[in-house]
Amino acid sequence: MNPVTAETVSEHDVVAIGCGPFNLGLAALASRVEGLDLVVLEAQPGLSWHPGLMFDEALLQLSFLADLVSLIDPTHPLSFLAYLGEKDRLYPFYIRERFHPTRREYEDYLRWAVTKLPSVRFSHRVESMDWDAGRQRFVLQVRRAEGERVTMLARDVVIGIGTEPSLPRALASLPEGRVVHTGHYLHRQRDVEAARRVTVVGSGQSGAEVALDLLQRNLAGGAAVSWLTRTVSFAPLDYTKLTLEMTTPAYVRYFHALPQPTKDRLVAEQWRHYKGISTETLEQLHDVLYRRELEQGLSPVELRSSVAVEDASVSPAGDVVLQCRHLDTGETFEHTTALVVAATGYKQRSPGFLKPMERRLRWDDQGRYRVRLDYSVELAPEVQGRVFVTHADLHSHGVAAPDLGISAFRNATILNTLLGREVFRLPRRTAFSSFGVPEHSGDAARPADRAPVPHAYPAMPGEPPRPVGPRLSEAS
């Protein structure tokens, strides 16, 4: 490793990479921990949350309590209610009686929180990260907006770089002007408006919101619309109350202890919890379709489920031709359109800055992080620091991973582990359901969710003990 001069180096207890809601929540909770030097680095010049899907009236699918801090620290000054109070909007929000904020409002809340957190540093792109055994620190090479390179040393690192749009192989060969991912939909309005037929491939909430926008345009005389999904129906999110208990810490602890093949099967089976469509959006879609019945001369609309797109090409006439298979009958057919909107989900980012660390990280047989219950990644024995991940734990912690409602718990768990003590009291009772077989104590069964919750976790079998404790500057 190249030597660095003192002028180019800053040292911190924790460096968090990426500033989405999850790491922003980490910074918010950490702001109340005296003596903890934590910084959050974000490559972009400012906070932007799903701008390609920021429809004016789109709602957050969760209660305002799923903010940065409230489910762990309800009196925190960076809660959503504190935001409403400072903006003098508490009474309008109360009278509105809709406790799901709009996405625009939630983004405004996040930006408000950023202004209160000097630990957040935008236009700081991490270019590489490695472990320096001599310093006993992670070394991060960082480029600022003005091109200046700096070196940051960290005892521990939290990676929260989020996901990126995913195109399946069947659509990946289409030229850029013929396919747009839902995550970029509002940025590609010129292409959408120029197309005489737009086809949405895939469903989920983002696909449904795009389909709703296209249907409203169609009702106003716009392009023909097709909506194809491989699911057996345009299925609603399963947000029934007892199903929602799968997003609680109780289920996370149960899920993490399962064998990995069982976890992978459950995540696939539970897709309706995080890939379905909100009931409200489905009702809006049906309302628009119903209103079309009274109009004449509109461009055609079709909705078709149980359809898999297996290949795509561009015809000599410039049309997109999709090769489709109907999954119920096995029959194949061609579908012709001008533009494809891919509602095909997201995948974990593959951070280039981790390349120097690859041999020190432990991966499962599918190339995913091996993540402990406390959200730290298994590392080579010589690495004394810890790497934690946020929103890269679907395979290890279950369907709660992308849910904003688990974020404060995850961040509190990480901070408690970093500090070696329960700075934040973790909730003990979070579900009425009990998961797994009963745990017997004497003659009585004890629900798993009422078991004591450790604030720090032991080493994995066969590993040396992990370092536990604050390891902060003032404690040295």
Side-chain angles (χ1 to χ4, degrees), residues 68-110:
L68 299 174
V69 292
S70 288
L71 288 173
I72 286 293
D73 186 357
T75 65
H76 198 288
L78 295 181
S79 71
F80 185 79
L81 287 180
Y83 155 79
L84 290 176
E86 184 169 310
K87 298 285 187 177
D88 197 21
R89 291 173 49 217
L90 267 174
Y91 266 91
F93 186 80
Y94 160 67
I95 292 172
R96 177 173 175 260
E97 289 192 338
R98 297 185 71 182
F99 286 174
H100 289 198
T102 66
R103 277 197 214 131
R104 285 189 178 277
E105 184 175 31
Y106 192 78
E107 183 183 53
D108 191 63
Y109 158 65
L110 297 178

Side-chain angles (χ1 to χ4, degrees), residues 198-370:
V198 182
T199 298
V200 180
V201 174
S203 52
Q205 183 65 25
S206 60
E209 289 177 1
V210 167
L212 177 60
D213 181 68
L214 292 170
L215 287 172
Q216 290 168 336
R217 293 169 183 261
N218 174 271
L219 186 60
V225 179
S226 296
W227 190 9
L228 311 177
T229 179
R230 63 183 301 127
T231 55
V232 296
S233 66
F234 296 94
L237 281 167
D238 191 348
Y239 261 32
T240 51
K241 303 303 182 187
L242 293 180
T243 299
L244 275 176
E245 293 195 340
M246 290 192 304
T247 65
T248 62
Y251 188 77
V252 167
R253 289 192 291 270
Y254 159 75
F255 184 93
H256 188 271
L258 296 172
Q260 191 60 55
T262 304
K263 296 180 189 178
D264 292 339
R265 174 178 60 80
L266 287 174
V267 167
E269 291 174 354
Q270 294 166 354
W271 65 271
R272 277 186 57 187
H273 178 74
Y274 61 103
K275 290 185 178 180
I277 305 166
S278 75
T279 301
E280 184 174 61
T281 303
L282 287 170
E283 290 175 352
Q284 290 175 310
L285 284 160
H286 194 272
D287 284 346
V288 175
L289 291 167
Y290 187 78
R291 285 162 54 197
R292 290 184 79 259
E293 296 290 295
L294 301 177
E295 303 295 334
Q296 302 294 324
L298 297 179
S299 297
V301 164
E302 66 169 329
L303 281 69
R304 205 174 295 277
S305 57
S306 295
V307 171
V309 176
E310 297 185 331
D311 202 0
S313 60
V314 179
S315 73
D319 294 319
V320 175
V321 180
L322 303 179
Q323 304 296 327
C324 303
R325 180 179 300 277
H326 193 274
L327 297 176
D328 293 342
T329 66
E331 296 182 70
T332 59
F333 63 95
E334 289 187 348
H335 174 85
T336 301
T337 190
L339 179 69
V340 174
V341 180
T344 49
Y346 295 79
K347 62 183 179 181
Q348 290 296 324
R349 295 184 189 275
S350 180
F353 65 79
L354 276 182
K355 190 168 184 60
M357 280 285 299
E358 281 183 353
R359 63 186 177 85
R360 304 182 193 272
L361 295 163
R362 297 296 178 251
W363 312 89
D364 70 9
D365 57 6
Q366 296 188 47
R368 303 170 298 194
Y369 300 116
R370 290 171 60 181

